[in-house]
Amino acid sequence: MEVDSKGKGYLVTGGAGFIGSHLCDALLKSGESVICIDNMATGIRENVARLLENPCFSFIEGDVRSVDLEGLSVTRVYHLAALCGVPLVEHEPLEVILTGIEGALRILRWAADRGVRVLYVSSSEIYGSGDMHPQSESYWGHANPVGPRSPYVEAKRAGEALCRAYRIKHGLSVRIARLFNVYGPGFRSDDPRVIPQFIKSAASGNPLIIYGTGQSSRSFCYVDDIVEGLIKLMNSEVEGPLNLGFPQEVEIGELANLVLRLTKSSSKINYLPAISEDPQRRLPDISRAKRLLGWNPKVTLEEGLKRTIISWFRGKE
Ligand SMILES: NC(=O)c1ccc[n+]([C@@H]2O[C@H](COP(=O)([O-])OP(=O)(O)OC[C@H]3O[C@@H](n4cnc5c(N)ncnc54)[C@H](O)[C@@H]3O)[C@@H](O)[C@H]2O)c1
């Protein structure tokens, strides 16, 4: 992967997590030095151990809200640290919202004091469950501020607003990526998101659980494509939020059947009641990213799932 920012030193918060570790890999491969901050709330220890084999990688274990940032010298920050996933959002609402808002505030303030560029990783969740389809960046969303998803959604919305405020008040150079669902090798074995759950169930012969009828849709982007988009966005002059996701809609029922076919599993599909306020459809309009970054994700869902499944079975050997 091409990275045109030689010699810049990066901080990646949340770098021990799923997307963050792939991002650290790509930056290191291009010869950059990377400092990762992660409190290991949902991070993966093996990611850190593997990355530490590269002398250009350093790891600081700590909470992005309180860890000592004084001595750090970098010129760019990717801010990914966040608590994600329905169970955490449901059971740890305060920790989710405070990690999101206080973490973003701390990083933006620190970066503004030093003239360091920040790429803030936001989410398609900020669009809520409105009628606009596909979702473009100009859509303001339809989200319930006191609903079951609100700790995560409102933290991301506040994070974006903080980015804007720091740009206006302190001239901070800041980029905002709105990611739609991301998948690929290297997820946590207890990752609650739909693709990891389906693969695990299919591989172990357990039923795949679908909440609702299976007709709600999502789009799934392979992690390498997302990392490429994040790097391009960081190196661009694009201001304002940018969608990054795969522009193909798939129903959850179809996804389950695809996973069953690719894993050659005879697991059943069980249907449970729909999750409250779960958006019915999600599909990114990525025309802005195509036009401004020349970014166009390449890995199809079937190809990406094959790679993810192979990696899952290798991890079990
Ligand atoms: N995976 C997706 O489909 C997706 C979609 C949209 C947005 N995102 C965003 O992308 C980013 C990365 O997501 P991911 O899928 O890699 O999740 P992840 O849970 O694998 O990674 C998040 C990382 O942040 C760390 N972290 C949490 N709280 C922290 C804190 N207070 N201090 C330091 N580190 C902390 C966790 O330990 C973890 O390693 C998140 O900001 C998430 O909201 C992800």
Side-chain angles (χ1 to χ4, degrees):
M1 188 177 305
E2 192 193 334
V3 181
D4 67 352
S5 51
K6 293 273 174 229
K8 289 198 169 70
Y10 291 84
L11 174 61
V12 179
T13 74
F18 166 53
I19 302 173
S21 60
H22 284 272
L23 176 62
C24 290
D25 265 331
L27 294 170
L28 289 166
K29 269 189 196 131
S30 70
E32 301 296 340
S33 60
V34 176
I35 301 168
C36 161
I37 293 179
D38 201 302
N39 67 352
M40 304 311 289
T42 56
I44 306 174
R45 293 261 166 219
E46 299 91 86
N47 284 341
V48 180
R50 175 175 51 75
L51 290 162
L52 276 170
E53 287 169 13
N54 189 318
C56 296
F57 179 79
S58 348
F59 178 60
I60 301 171
E61 183 162 348
D63 191 316
V64 75
R65 295 172 290 178
S66 54
V67 72
D68 184 7
L69 300 171
E70 269 321 300
L72 299 188
S73 171
V74 295
T75 55
R76 293 185 169 188
V77 182
Y78 287 93
H79 181 53
L80 284 84
L83 293 174
C84 333
V86 173
L88 272 169
V89 175
E90 230 174 72
H91 301 302
E92 297 295 341
L94 200 53
E95 195 57 13
V96 168
I97 196 164
L98 292 179
T99 296
I101 296 178
E102 293 178 355
L105 180 59
R106 178 121 197 274
I107 288 297
L108 292 167
R109 185 181 284 154
W110 179 83
D113 285 349
R114 287 158 184 80
V116 169
R117 179 178 290 186
V118 177
L119 187 152
Y120 174 72
V121 176
S122 182
S123 165
S124 60
E125 288 283 316
I126 65 106
Y127 294 123
S129 52
D131 293 335
M132 167 85 151
H133 191 79
Q135 294 86 42
S136 74
E137 292 88 347
S138 59
Y139 179 50
W140 294 348
H142 179 85
N144 177 0
V146 289
R149 307 169 89 91
S150 65
Y152 183 74
V153 174
E154 298 304 323
K156 290 294 185 191
R157 291 180 73 98
E160 291 196 15
L162 283 168
C163 290
R164 175 181 176 273
Y166 267 89
R167 179 167 51 73
I168 291 171
K169 282 300 285 181
H170 298 286
L172 180 70
S173 175
V174 62
R175 310 284 174 261
I176 300 172
R178 287 183 183 157
L179 307 190
F180 288 64
N181 290 44
V182 186
Y183 73 102
F187 55 78
R188 272 186 358 255
S189 57
D190 60 347
D191 193 315
R193 289 172 280 201
V194 63
I195 287 187
Q197 282 303 316
F198 279 179
I199 294 177
K200 263 176 53 183
S201 301
S204 52
N206 291 323
L208 279 61
I209 307 294
I210 292 185
Y211 297 93
T213 61
Q215 285 166 326
S216 64
S217 73
R218 293 291 183 272
S219 77
F220 296 95
C221 195
Y222 192 65
V223 65
D224 288 0
D225 280 328
I226 284 294
V227 165
E228 186 194 354
L230 291 174
I231 291 172
K232 282 192 161 174
L233 179 58
M234 175 65 102
N235 294 333
S236 76
E237 295 310 312
V238 176
E239 287 195 343
L242 197 82
N243 285 344
L244 295 177
F246 198 71
Q248 185 202 343
E249 194 176 4
V250 58
E251 289 189 358
I252 297 302
E254 267 178 79
L255 175 72
N257 283 308
L258 183 56
V259 170
L260 290 176
R261 174 162 68 77
L262 295 177
T263 50
K264 300 187 175 67
S265 168
S266 52
S267 288
K268 301 274 173 284
I269 299 178
N270 278 1
Y271 293 87
L272 294 182
I275 296 174
S276 167
E277 294 187 23
D278 201 26
Q280 276 309 293
R281 297 180 81 185
R282 265 292 150 67
L283 181 69
D285 175 344
I286 58 163
S287 43
R288 204 162 170 262
K290 279 186 183 168
R291 190 175 76 252
L292 298 177
L293 301 183
W295 179 77
N296 200 3
K298 295 177 266 314
V299 183
T300 62
L301 182 59
E302 178 150 349
E303 175 55 31
L305 278 178
K306 281 183 191 158
R307 294 185 202 174
T308 310
I309 290 165
I310 289 170
S311 151
W312 167 261
F313 280 105
R314 268 202 204 119
K316 300 279 134 209
E317 280 166 10

